[in-house]
């Protein structure tokens, strides 16, 4: 199974982190390298799992969900293709502190209501959601 972690989306800016590289580039959704890679993976693989970690105040509002849906829906219609929405957590907070780094995220948890609204927008756009 292929994985792609999509950290944020809005019409002007996307950060994608995957196992190969970090891309931090302003994009146009219709012509971006990131979207081209998702399209290529959707055409060449039998299974694809995209993951979106939700962070309050960063990418968890209705307009973000609509942006994800607009960009991802065309590639998510095949069997074996799914999206997992992850709630923010602080599992790595101790690692930051152990390495002498400040953990600066505050008020990043998403509410159950936010999470549900976000997921409903994706489902209403025919995107299959899974939990792993």
């Amino acid at each position: 199974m292929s994985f792609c972690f999509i950290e944020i989306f809005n019409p002007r800016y996307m950060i994608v982190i995957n196992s190969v590289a970090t891309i931090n580039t302003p994009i146009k959704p219709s012509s971006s390298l990131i979207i081209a890679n998702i399209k290529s993976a959707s055409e060449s693989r039998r299974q694809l799992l995209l993951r979106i970690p939700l962070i309050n105040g960063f990418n968890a509002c209705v307009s973000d969900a609509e942006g994800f849906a607009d960009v991802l829906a065309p590639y998510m219609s095949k069997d074996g293709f799914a999206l997992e929405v992850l709630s923010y957590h602080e599992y790595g907070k101790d690692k930051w502190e152990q390495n002498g780094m400040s953990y600066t995220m505050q008020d990043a948890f998403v509410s159950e209501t936010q999470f549900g609204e976000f997921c409903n927008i994706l489902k209403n756009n025919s995107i299959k959601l899974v939990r792993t």
Side-chain angles (χ1 to χ4, degrees):
M1 179 156 304
S2 298
F3 292 89
C4 179
F5 293 85
I6 302 175
E7 292 289 322
I8 186 172
F9 175 80
N10 72 41
R12 294 178 297 125
Y13 203 69
M14 181 184 281
I15 299 170
V16 171
I17 299 174
N18 62 32
S19 61
V20 179
T22 299
I23 301 168
N24 187 349
T25 309
I27 63 163
K28 293 181 181 176
S30 61
S31 62
S32 76
L33 176 60
I34 297 157
I35 302 305
N37 286 341
I38 291 170
K39 181 178 187 265
S40 176
S42 74
E43 293 169 348
S44 64
R45 303 187 190 285
R46 290 184 296 143
Q47 293 184 318
L48 181 67
L49 173 61
L50 302 179
R51 288 182 168 164
I52 302 171
L54 290 187
I55 302 169
N56 184 45
F58 188 64
N59 70 338
C61 69
V62 168
S63 64
D64 294 319
E66 291 167 346
F68 279 115
D70 288 345
V71 171
L72 297 177
Y75 310 107
M76 301 302 295
S77 61
K78 290 170 60 176
D79 287 338
F81 285 41
L83 180 69
E84 182 171 22
V85 180
L86 307 168
S87 290
Y88 171 81
H89 59 74
E90 292 184 338
Y91 298 153
K93 184 176 182 178
D94 291 342
K95 289 180 186 178
W96 282 72
E97 293 167 355
Q98 289 169 0
N99 288 301
M101 298 166 47
S102 297
Y103 192 83
T104 59
M105 294 297 295
Q106 295 180 351
D107 193 33
F109 290 98
V110 295
S111 69
E112 288 183 32
T113 301
Q114 282 176 293
F115 189 86
E117 288 174 351
F118 195 96
C119 291
N120 284 336
I121 290 168
L122 298 172
K123 287 185 222 176
N124 290 339
N125 282 275
S126 302
I127 296 174
K128 178 184 174 188
L129 299 182
V130 297
R131 298 228 343 129
T132 59

